[in-house]
Every structure is written in structure tokens, then in C-alpha cells.
């Protein structure tokens, strides 16, 4: 029923709106004082006092009335008196009941009535469970029945699931069999980190003779918790095989887990302890769509669970699959490429003609080496392929070159110097081949000193303008965390020179650079898209002749054909790209390849000194 607030009887609303309409005036003694005292005591949770106004066994009546709040896990109860009719020694009173079930929806409202009889001048309510609800019979109780839709999968661009089958164990209880509910549920809540009060409320409001699932654990990942739960008296377990774990793109797809108190706050109503909900990635961000919302019924039933009558039904929403743009073949190629890299590494690949994300791969094992918490469980970071923050180094020469061409840079001449060059107080070092010393060859070999020295040829704001043409810093919006890059305007000579070579304060993600490569490949920058039914809100940006697209295509092709990125050259179509190794942080480096071939543009970032161009070749070979 959503986020419930279990309240004591004394916490129910105290006000009772009494409006009467009668057929005439009553001679004393009137039944009204008895009716009023019964309704006020019932509403305020004074069940013993209410029972005194009836002709029933006081203990039994008080127990039946007192069980209603827990049977419905209600948040509040309001009663309003309606028409009262008296016929000699007998009377009937109509009243309305409004129950807040704590699910954020409209209160459950219905009409009821009670009969009264006067004996020796004293009025008493003729006790019957039908006073609580007209369809509640002798020996019956109220209960909440929740029917949860089957969770739908996250699928790729061919409607194939991105999940894999794993063994799960579903643990729960049969409420009517619990010898010591508080002890059993307390131990279960401690092991699983579920909210104890919510679990108890959920169990008390459930049908007593039906198995109630309370937590689903994946095996072997959560085998430790499963072993502990098997030792708790009253906890029952069921083993199943289910599609619940990500098969690929772990950080994008995300994981499932128990509905702990913290997670329930994140996803909100109407989920309950016992539901399996998303805890990361698309599984949590698209929780409502994937899981739907449950259909909730208030029922009257015998203690055995039979003769069930539906008193109220709130229909939920059906679950729906979430269709991504991920191409399984491209994703597999990306993950296989990074699997043997000993450093943290990420690869983002897009379709340059559409901006659709074909792959977002992260070397999870490497990235999580330092992410383990005290429990040994790895944290769940966002995908570095989409949300990483790295300096692009000389892969930024794509953006720099456009800015230079806009300012009349001659493509034929630009000196390249080996060794270290100090500009504005900052050292720039280049150890690679010098080539012919032309701008073309300097781009091809990623000559840092040559490009840093060209800062004088453009204004401080020109790089930011050029970067914007390639979508860096653009306000795109994906369903998962992502970073479009940041290219601030430099404020000093050293910063101007540093930004020319993709250092200084510039930061990008592999995805943002894959989109840069895609813009060069087809002459139009397109915003990224991850979900099939969520087209980008931004417009595409065509690049004109003045943006130097043809020149950039030639330069990037030369870099692979005979320059620093030539390890990326493979058969199956011409490859264009640029590579770089750039220092960042505290003594760390990131190695890059940014490029494209035919219908794929991609970027690889590795947090270590490796040949990213070689990894690019591995990826392209695997993608055939």
C-alpha cells in the first residue's frame, strides 16, 4: 500500500464530526449518547470504552476493534454520524467511515450502520462485526492483498534482454504460523536492513495463511545473508531461477535488491518490504516503468484465508520493458576489449548518424579494486564511459584545430619540438616523432609542444566556442548520470597553452569525445540517446565548411594511417582517429583513443599508460 505509517490506536485522529438528522425528537433516554460514546471511543482507539457501549463480550469486542488498525496498516480513521432512527426500544444509526491507508491515494470511504436496543432504560449497541464493515462476518478479519506485476526486462536495440538468469532465494513468512512475530521479524530486519516497523506492519496486514515474501537474495552474491536467514525460526525460503542480474553494461543496466528503508525513500510509494526494487542504474531510475505498481485489495476473509470477499480494489499500473539503444554486438566487443586491461578503462560507442549509444563499457574489476567497503561489497558507481571526468589531452586537438582554422591557421606550417618547453610558467613535454614539422604531421603525431605554442593564434574564448560546436558542455539529458564536458575560458598564458593540448581545467567523458568523433565523421553533432522512447531534447548541430570538417577527417585519417594512432589501423574499412596520453591528478595518466570507422564513433579512456590505439584495433576487430 505504499509508504505506511503504523500508528498506535492513541495516535488516530481525535476529532469526530457528528451531524444528526432524525425523524423526530427523542424522549429520554435517547440512544444518541451511547452512539456518540461508541464512535468517539472507537475513533480515538479506546477500544475497551467502545466495547462497554455494546452488548457483546467486552474483551472480545475490544480485540476485534483493536485489530483493525494493524489488519489494514491504516494511517488514520475518521467516523461521521449520519441519520439515527428510533422505533420504541430499538434504534438504528447510520455513519460513514473514512480510512487513510497511507498509500498517498484517496481515503477509503464507505457507509456502515449499527443497531441498538434499550433494556431497563439503558441503550446498548447490538454488537456485530458488520459494524466495522457491512460485509465483515462473524469470525472474519480484514486483510490487505497485494498483487505485484511481473517485473519487465531492460532490452537492447533488438528487443533482446540485457539481463541474465541467476539463482535467487525468496525469504518470507506465513503470518499465521509465526510463534513470535516480533522476534522473527526483528532478526530478519537486522540481517536484511529492512525497516522493522514497516515489516511488522506489512506482515500484520497480510492474509495470515499465505506465504508473504519479504526479501529476495541473489546467489552466490548474497549467500551470506541467505545462510543467516535460514537460521531464523519462522522464516521460510523458496529457491528460484530468474532474470535479475545484468548480463552486460552493468552500470547502465543496474542491479536489483531488497526494498530497504533507504531505498524505499528513493523510489517512493507504493512499494513495500518484500518487493525487489532497483538499486542502481536503469533498474532504479526506471523503477516505476519496469515494476509497474501493485494492485491492492482490502478483503474480508476467514482466519483460514477462505471465503474471501473483496471490499476495495485499487488497480495498479502494468509493468513495461525499458528499451535501450545498446547494440549487444558492439557492447560485447567493447567489454571483451577492456576485460584484460589491468587498469580502470572505459569505452563509449555511438552511431554517428543518430547519436544513439551503442555501447558503454567499463572495466569493472579494475575500477572496483579500490571501491570495496567494509563489508567487501563493491560500491555501485555510475558508468565512467558516460560520466567519467578526464582531461582529453591531444585528442582535444580536434577542437583546437577547428578554432585555429577559424582564425586562419595555415595547415602547412607549425614547428614541433622534442623535449620540454616552458610556456607561461608551465612545462609541456613531447617525446614522440617530430615528423616533417607541418601542421598536418604535428596533428598526426599528437605533438604537444607544437599545439601548446599556438595559443597566441586564437583568443582566450575561442576554444570554448569551438568546443560548443562539438557539443562539449551541452545540456543534454540522459536517464543515467552522464557528463558532457567542461571547457572554461582560460585566464592566464599557462592556462591558454594548457587548454590548447586538452589539459588545464578541461574535462571530458568518453561519451562526450565519442560524440566529437561522430560529428567529424558525418559533419553533424548529435546529442546522445540511450532510451528508445526518450529522444533527445536538444537539436542536432550541422557543421559547415567553415568548421573544417573535411580537413579534420583528413587529419584524423592520417593519424591512423601513418601517425601516432596507426596501431588502430585494421581491415574492414578506413579508420580515423587520434590518440593521447595525458597526466592528471596526483601522478596519474589517462591514455586515449578517439575516432571512428564507418557506422561507429567511439572513445577509449584508460587510467594508465597503454596503447589505446591498439585497444581500438581490438575493439574494431571484435565488432565485425
Amino acid at each position: 500500500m505504499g509508504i505506511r505509517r503504523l500508528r498506535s490506536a492513541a495516535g488516530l485522529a481525535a476529532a469526530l464530526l457528528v451531524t444528526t438528522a432524525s425523524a423526530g425528537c427523542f424522549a429520554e433516554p435517547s440512544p444518541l449518547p451511547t452512539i456518540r460514546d461508541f464512535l468517539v471511543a472507537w475513533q480515538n482507539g479506546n477500544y475497551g470504552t467502545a466495547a462497554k457501549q455494546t452488548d457483546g463480550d467486552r474483551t472480545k469486542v475490544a480485540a476485534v476493534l483493536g485489530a483493525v488498525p494493524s489488519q489494514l496498516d491504516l494511517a488514520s480513521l475518521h467516523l461521521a454520524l449520519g441519520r439515527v432512527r428510533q422505533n420504541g426500544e430499538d434504534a438504528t444509526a447510520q455513519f460513514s467511515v473514512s480510512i487513510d491507508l497511507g498509500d498517498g491515494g484517496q481515503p477509503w470511504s464507505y457507509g456502515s450502520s449499527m443497531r441498538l436496543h434499550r433494556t431497563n432504560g439503558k441503550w446498548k449497541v447490538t454488537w456485530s462485526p458488520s459494524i466495522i464493515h457491512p460485509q465483515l462476518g462473524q469470525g472474519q478479519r480484514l486483510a490487505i492483498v497485494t498483487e505485484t506485476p511481473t517485473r519487465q526486462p531492460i532490452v537492447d536495440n533488438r528487443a533482446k534482454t540485457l539481463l541474465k538468469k541467476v539463482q535467487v532465494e525468496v525469504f518470507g513468512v506465513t503470518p499465521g504460523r509465526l510463534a513470535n512475530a516480533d522476534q522473527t521479524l526483528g532478526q530478519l530486519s537486522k540481517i536484511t536492513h529492512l525497516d522493522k516497523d514497516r515489516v511488522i506492519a506489512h506482515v500484520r496486514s497480510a492474509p495470515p495463511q499465505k506465504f508473504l515474501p519479504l526479501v529476495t537474495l541473489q546467489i552466490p552474491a548474497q549467500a551470506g545473508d541467505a545462510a543467516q536467514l535460514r537460521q531464523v525460526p519462522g522464516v521460510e525460503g523458496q529457491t528460484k531461477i530468474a532474470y535479475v542480474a545484468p548480463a552486460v553494461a552493468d552500470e547502465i543496466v543496474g542491479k536489483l535488491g531488497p526494498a530497504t528503508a533507504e531505498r524505499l525513500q528513493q523510489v517512493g510509494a507504493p512499494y513495500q518490504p518484500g518487493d525487489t526494487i532497483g538499486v542502481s542504474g536503469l533498474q532504479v531510475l526506471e523503477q516505476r516503468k519496469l515494476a509497474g505498481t501493485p494492485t491492492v485489495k482490502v478483503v474480508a476473509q476467514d482466519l483460514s484465508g477462505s471465503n474471501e470477499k473483496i471490499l476495495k480494489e485499487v488497480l495498479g499500473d502494468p509493468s513495461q520493458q525499458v528499451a535501450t539503444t545498446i547494440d549487444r554486438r558492439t557492447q560485447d566487443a567493447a567489454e571483451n576489449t577492456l576485460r584484460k586491461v589491468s587498469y580502470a578503462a572505459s569505452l563509449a560507442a555511438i552511431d554517428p548518424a543518430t547519436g544513439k549509444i551503442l555501447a558503454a563499457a567499463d572495466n569493472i574489476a579494475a575500477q572496483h579494486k579500490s571501491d570495496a567497503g567494509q563489508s567487501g561489497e563493491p560500491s555501485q558507481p555510475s558508468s565512467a564511459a558516460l560520466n567519467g571526468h578526464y582531461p582529453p589531452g591531444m585528442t582535444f586537438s580536434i577542437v583546437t584545430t577547428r578554432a585555429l582554422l577559424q582564425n586562419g591557421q595555415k595547415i602547412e606550417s607549425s614547428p614541433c619540438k622534442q623535449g620540454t618547453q616552458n610556456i607561461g610558467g608551465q612545462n609541456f613535454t613531447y617525446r614522440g616523432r617530430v615528423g616533417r614539422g607541418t601542421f598536418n604531421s604535428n596533428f598526426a603525431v599528437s605533438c604537444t609542444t607544437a599545439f601548446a605554442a599556438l595559443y597566441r593564434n586564437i583568443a582566450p574564448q575561442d576554444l570554448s566556442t569551438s568546443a560548443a560546436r562539438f557539443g562539449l558542455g551541452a545540456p543534454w539529458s540522459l536517464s543515467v548520470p552522464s557528463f558532457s564536458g567542461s571547457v572554461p575560458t582560460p585566464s592566464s598564458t599557462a592556462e591558454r597553452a594548457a587548454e590548447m593540448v586538452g589539459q588545464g581545467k578541461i574535462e571530458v567523458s568518453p561519451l562526450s569525445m565519442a560524440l566529437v568523433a561522430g560529428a567529424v565523421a558525418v559533419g553533424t553533432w548529435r546529442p546522445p540517446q540511450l532510451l528508445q522512447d526518450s529522444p533527445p531534447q536538444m537539436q542536432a548541430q550541422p557543421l559547415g565548411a567553415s568548421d573544417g570538417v573535411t580537413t579534420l577527417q583528413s587529419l584524423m585519417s592520417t593519424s591512423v594511417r601513418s601517425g601516432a594512432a596507426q596501431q588502430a589501423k585494421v581491415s574492414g574499412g578506413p579508420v580515423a582517429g587520434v590518440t593521447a596520453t595525458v597526466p592528471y591528478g596526483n601522478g596519474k595518466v589517462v591514455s586515449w583513443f578517439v575516432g571512428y570507422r564507418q557506422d561507429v564513433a567511439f572513445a577509449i579512456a584508460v587510467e594508465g599508460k597503454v596503447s589505446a590505439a591498439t585497444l581500438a584495433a581490438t575493439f574494431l576487430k571484435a565488432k565485425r
Side-chain angles (χ1 to χ4, degrees), residues 338-617:
L338 302 184
R339 186 162 288 124
K340 294 183 180 180
V341 179
S342 58
Y343 301 104
S346 302
L347 190 158
I350 64 147
D351 177 354
T354 63
K356 291 182 177 180
I357 298 171
L358 303 178
D362 297 281
N363 186 337
I364 297 172
Q367 287 187 335
H368 288 177
K369 282 180 180 178
S370 60
D371 285 334
Q374 292 181 351
S375 65
E377 290 283 340
S379 62
Q380 297 299 325
S382 60
S383 169
L386 307 186
N387 199 40
H389 289 56
Y390 299 112
M394 280 299 290
T395 63
F396 194 71
S397 61
I398 300 169
V399 177
T400 304
T401 296
R402 181 203 170 274
L404 289 167
L405 293 174
Q406 289 277 307
N407 284 273
Q409 172 68 35
K410 291 184 178 181
I411 206 70
E412 294 84 8
S413 59
S414 178
C416 177
K417 297 180 181 179
Q418 286 188 331
T420 300
Q421 195 170 355
N422 187 284
I423 302 176
Q426 181 166 334
N427 289 330
F428 297 90
T429 302
Y430 177 67
R431 303 293 185 190
R433 290 189 296 118
V434 172
R436 297 192 305 273
T438 65
F439 185 91
N440 193 325
S441 67
N442 291 341
F443 184 102
V445 299
S446 297
C447 183
T448 309
T449 54
F451 271 75
L454 291 173
Y455 77 93
R456 301 179 184 87
N457 293 26
I458 62 174
Q461 69 273 16
D462 286 348
L463 276 183
S464 297
T465 301
S466 183
R469 291 291 292 161
F470 290 100
L472 295 176
W476 72 49
S477 178
L478 291 180
S479 296
V480 296
S482 62
F483 179 56
S484 66
S486 175
V487 184
T489 301
S491 59
S492 67
T493 298
E495 285 186 6
R496 290 178 64 187
E499 291 200 353
M500 293 292 289
V501 295
Q503 298 182 35
K505 297 179 180 179
I506 295 177
E507 288 186 322
V508 296
S509 64
L511 174 60
S512 65
M513 292 306 290
L515 293 166
V516 169
V520 175
V522 299
T524 299
W525 178 86
R526 288 180 170 83
Q529 181 180 356
L530 179 61
L531 299 183
Q532 298 279 14
D533 62 355
S534 296
Q537 301 302 306
M538 291 188 64
Q539 296 297 315
Q541 288 187 166
L543 302 177
S546 63
D547 293 298
V549 171
T550 301
T551 299
L552 286 168
Q553 290 172 344
S554 176
L555 290 171
M556 292 174 69
S557 295
T558 301
S559 179
V560 173
R561 187 171 58 251
S562 59
Q566 59 186 304
Q567 290 90 346
K569 183 167 52 178
V570 295
S571 60
V575 181
V578 62
T579 190
T581 300
V582 56
Y584 81 105
N586 186 18
K588 298 185 290 185
V589 298
V590 57
S591 300
W592 281 96
F593 178 87
V594 175
Y596 61 89
R597 183 185 72 178
Q598 296 173 331
D599 60 351
V600 63
F602 62 102
I604 301 173
V606 183
E607 295 181 22
K609 195 169 184 179
V610 300
S611 172
T614 299
L615 293 176

Side-chain angles (χ1 to χ4, degrees), residues 70-122:
S70 60
Q71 289 172 357
L72 296 182
D73 191 13
L74 59 81
S76 64
L77 169 71
H78 295 275
L79 306 171
L81 180 59
R83 183 178 296 274
V84 176
R85 295 180 183 275
Q86 181 181 347
N87 183 13
E89 303 295 314
D90 296 300
T92 58
Q94 296 175 332
F95 61 97
S96 63
V97 182
S98 180
I99 296 176
D100 182 357
L101 295 169
D103 59 358
Q106 292 295 318
W108 176 31
S109 299
Y110 59 89
S112 190
S113 64
M114 69 181 87
R115 293 189 300 111
L116 297 95
H117 183 72
R118 182 170 58 189
T119 302
N120 297 325
K122 190 171 184 179

